[in-house]
Amino acid sequence: MRTFLVSLFAIWSLSVSPACASDYYAGGIAALSTLSADGGSVVSATGSQVSSYKPENGPALNLFFGRYIKDYVSLQGNFIWNSNRLTFSSNSISPLGASFYSETRTSSQSSGTGDVLVFFRDRASLLRPYLSVGAGVVHVGSSQQQIEFVSGPAVRPPVAFSANTAGLRVAVGIDIKLRRGFSIRYSFSETISANPISDQLSPPGQRGLKNFQNLWGFLKAF
C-alpha cells in the first residue's frame, strides 16, 4: 500500500509542473489472465491428506494513466482486473475413514499499482519495446459456484472469502505508434503476491499466487 501511494503521488506531483505536448497518456488493454495452480499434502503413518485448486483462463482488463519522463522513462498508475474459474478438490484418508470433495468456484482479482516503465527507443520511434516494474495492493475474492461431489466429513472452504495483499508486478511489452497520438500496446505481465486462495485449502497450499496477463489495446498521448 505504501509503495502504491508513493507512486501515485509521484505521478500527481509531476502532473502539476509545466509539461510539453503529449507528455501524458492514457489507455486500456485487455485479453487473457492465467493464475498459477497450487496444492498441499500431509502424509503420515496413520493417514494422508491431499488438496489442490486448478484455475482456468479468464478475461483481464488493465486501465492506465501515465506521464513520460524524458524519452526513455514513464511513470504509470494502473487499475487491473481479472476473473478466473477455480476447481477445488481434497482427499483425506485416516483410521476413521475416507472423505473427499470437489467444487467449482468463481474468483476475481483487482489491483491498483504504480509502475516505472523503461523504454529501449526514444519517443519518436515507431516501435518502442519496454520493461516495467511496480507494486500495489491486490484484492482477491472467491465464491462457491457448484459442489460437484462430497463424501464424509470433508473440510471445505467458506462459501465466500476475500483478502487484500501486497503485490509486485513486472511486465514486458511494446508500443507501436499510430497517427494523432494513438499507439497500439502489447503487454505480458506477471503479478506476484501472497496466496489467499491456497490458504483456504485443507491442507493449505505452499506457493504464492502468480497472475500472468497477456494483453492488447490502445493508448492515447495528450
Side-chain angles (χ1 to χ4, degrees), residues 49-52 88-94 98-103 105 144 147 149-159 197-204:
Q49 290 180 290
V50 178
S51 65
S52 67
F88 273 37
S89 61
S90 178
N91 296 274
S92 177
I93 300 174
S94 71
S99 63
F100 55 86
Y101 81 90
S102 177
E103 68 180 39
R105 305 180 65 89
Q144 185 186 92
I147 300 175
F149 51 81
V150 60
S151 176
V155 179
R156 296 181 7 231
V159 173
I197 299 173
S198 291
D199 292 343
Q200 303 302 325
L201 297 174
S202 182

Side-chain angles (χ1 to χ4, degrees), residues 186-206:
Y186 167 73
S187 171
F188 178 79
S189 67
E190 177 185 358
T191 302
I192 303 171
S193 68
N195 199 333
I197 299 173
S198 291
D199 292 343
Q200 303 302 325
L201 297 174
S202 182
Q206 304 298 316

Side-chain angles (χ1 to χ4, degrees), residues 4 36 41 44 50 61 65 73 101-102 105-106 112 127 136 149 153 156 184 190 200 205 210 221-222:
F4 174 57
S36 58
S41 63
S44 67
V50 178
L61 173 68
F65 172 81
V73 178
Y101 81 90
S102 177
R105 305 180 65 89
T106 60
L127 304 177
F149 51 81
R156 296 181 7 231
I184 296 173
E190 177 185 358
Q200 303 302 325
K210 297 181 179 179
F222 55 90

Side-chain angles (χ1 to χ4, degrees), residues 70-140:
K70 302 295 184 180
D71 270 344
Y72 295 97
V73 178
S74 73
L75 299 179
Q76 181 175 296
N78 303 275
F79 170 77
I80 306 165
W81 169 90
N82 60 274
S83 178
N84 302 82
R85 183 176 176 180
L86 307 173
T87 300
F88 273 37
S89 61
S90 178
N91 296 274
S92 177
I93 300 174
S94 71
L96 300 178
S99 63
F100 55 86
Y101 81 90
S102 177
E103 68 180 39
T104 57
R105 305 180 65 89
T106 60
S107 74
S108 65
Q109 295 80 40
S110 56
S111 61
T113 67
D115 294 350
V116 177
L117 283 68
V118 178
F119 294 88
F120 294 95
R121 303 188 69 181
D122 63 33
R123 290 169 58 183
S125 302
L126 176 65
L127 304 177
R128 301 189 70 206
Y130 68 85
L131 295 174
S132 74
V133 62
V137 179
V138 181
H139 177 79
V140 180

